[in-house]
């Protein structure tokens, strides 16, 4: 059931812009993929893409350490939209080597070991997922953390030499949840248990009152190190709709 009439005019305008952005992205590039964490922002984009038939493929990184609730969202997307989200897994040999050398949960011991785990379970699979596309889409928002405060709607991913788009860059958390409610989008049940940002199970906890939305990610680290390596090699470019080049 959809209740789009309950949306404010401001959010209606954001939705219209989002739809136009996604259409432009799908038309501009021969092949585009959306990297979904299966959390709230990414379910919003999943709905925006699949409900309108936008030419953007959707995949998820199955790290081998995800919550059962997160994995369950893959089936919920299949049931709701008739779409099978492509899954990319880490290389088993690399995982086995890391565990043998450092231990299963060595990421708690140092930032270097945590980043190495993320490299194996997330970054390398992401590189494979994006090897055949000219652009990718994320659900990142500026409001999420200090590491994303300067996020741009359109960027160049220098590591992979492809375009990168963050269509929800200026959306607030309230915007996201208003959209999800209005369009009756399925959401990860962990959100209702205090998880605004969801990653691997051992690296994610519920947040406390007053904490920012990513405080539960790698909570043992300082705020300025809380990225896994997926989003640190980008250069801002002209925003679509403002004389952006094709």
């Amino acid at each position: 059931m959809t209740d789009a009439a309950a949306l404010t005019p401001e959010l209606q305008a954001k939705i219209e812009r989002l739809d136009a952005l996604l259409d432009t992205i799908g038309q501009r590039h021969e092949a585009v993929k959306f990297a979904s964490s299966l959390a709230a922002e990414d379910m919003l984009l999943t709905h925006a893409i699949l409900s309108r038939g936008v030419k953007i493929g959707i995949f998820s990184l199955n790290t081998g350490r995800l919550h059962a609730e997160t994995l369950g969202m893959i089936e919920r997307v299949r049931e709701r939209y008739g779409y099978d989200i492509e899954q990319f897994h880490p290389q088993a040999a690399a995982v086995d080597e890391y565990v043998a050398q450092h231990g299963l949960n060595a990421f708690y011991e140092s930032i270097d070991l945590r980043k190495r785990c993320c490299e194996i379970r997330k970054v390398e699979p992401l590189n494979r997922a994006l090897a055949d596309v000219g652009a990718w889409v994320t659900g990142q928002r500026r409001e999420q953390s200090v590491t994303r405060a300067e996020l741009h709607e359109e960027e160049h991913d220098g590591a992979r030499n492809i375009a990168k788009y963050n269509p929800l860059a200026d959306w607030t958390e309230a915007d996201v949840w208003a959209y999800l409610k209005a369009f009756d989008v399925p959401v990860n049940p962990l959100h209702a248990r205090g998880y605004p940002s969801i990653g691997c199970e051992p690296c994610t906890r519920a947040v406390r009152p007053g904490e920012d939305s990513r405080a539960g990610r790698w909570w043992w680290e300082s705020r300025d190190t809380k990225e896994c390596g997926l989003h640190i090699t980008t250069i801002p470019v002209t925003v679509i709709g403002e004389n952006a080049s094709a």
Side-chain angles (χ1 to χ4, degrees):
M1 181 177 179
T2 300
D3 187 19
L7 298 171
T8 65
E10 292 79 9
L11 187 51
Q12 288 277 19
K14 282 189 176 181
I15 293 170
E16 291 174 7
R17 175 164 172 73
L18 170 65
D19 289 344
L21 280 169
L22 292 174
D23 288 342
T24 299
I25 292 166
Q27 294 163 8
R28 175 183 288 184
H29 302 279
E30 185 174 345
V32 188
K33 287 182 180 178
F34 163 48
S36 172
S37 69
L38 304 165
E41 290 82 2
D42 295 344
M43 290 306 301
L44 185 165
L45 288 174
T46 294
H47 178 84
I49 290 168
L50 297 181
S51 65
R52 299 175 53 254
V54 181
K55 195 187 70 170
I56 297 176
I58 305 175
F59 72 93
S60 187
L61 303 177
N62 187 336
T63 66
R65 303 297 302 269
L66 299 179
H67 297 79
E69 292 88 345
T70 299
L71 293 173
M73 295 304 297
I74 294 173
E75 179 58 30
R76 293 184 69 183
V77 169
R78 183 183 296 118
E79 291 174 353
R80 171 69 179 273
Y81 304 100
Y83 185 90
D84 287 314
I85 293 178
E86 187 175 13
Q87 297 183 63
F88 286 83
H89 299 77
Q91 300 283 2
V95 172
D96 291 345
E97 181 180 5
Y98 178 92
V99 172
Q101 289 184 359
H102 307 292
L104 181 63
N105 296 325
F107 40 80
Y108 293 128
E109 298 174 13
S110 72
I111 292 176
D112 286 343
L113 285 174
R114 196 272 292 168
K115 289 186 175 181
R116 177 57 184 153
C117 185
C118 289
E119 173 73 27
I120 292 168
R121 294 184 182 274
K122 300 177 76 173
V123 179
E124 190 279 331
L126 178 72
N127 290 341
R128 279 188 278 120
L130 300 178
D132 59 349
V133 301
W136 65 301
V137 177
T138 87
Q140 293 184 104
R141 295 185 295 108
R142 296 186 191 115
E143 189 186 66
Q144 288 172 325
S145 69
V146 294
T147 59
R148 298 179 179 180
E150 302 300 321
L151 187 70
H152 290 262
E153 200 169 71
E154 182 180 356
E155 303 172 319
H156 177 73
D157 184 337
R160 302 169 187 91
N161 195 31
I162 59 176
K164 180 180 178 182
Y165 300 96
N166 308 298
L168 301 181
D170 66 344
W171 283 52
T172 66
E173 184 175 358
D175 291 337
V176 171
W177 285 98
Y179 181 107
L180 295 171
K181 181 179 180 181
F183 293 98
D184 192 28
V185 180
V187 296
N188 192 319
L190 289 173
H191 291 306
R193 305 212 301 261
Y195 290 75
S197 179
I198 302 169
C200 291
E201 184 169 11
C203 297
T204 310
R205 65 160 173 80
V207 301
R208 303 182 183 96
E211 290 185 317
D212 70 57
S213 65
R214 283 177 64 81
R217 301 292 296 278
W218 309 295
W219 66 90
W220 62 93
E221 295 184 13
S222 65
R223 294 177 69 197
D224 58 358
T225 65
K226 293 187 175 189
E227 290 291 352
C228 58
L230 301 183
H231 304 296
I232 60 174
T233 56
T234 53
I235 302 169
V237 297
T238 306
V239 176
I240 292 177
E242 296 181 8
N243 299 317
S245 59

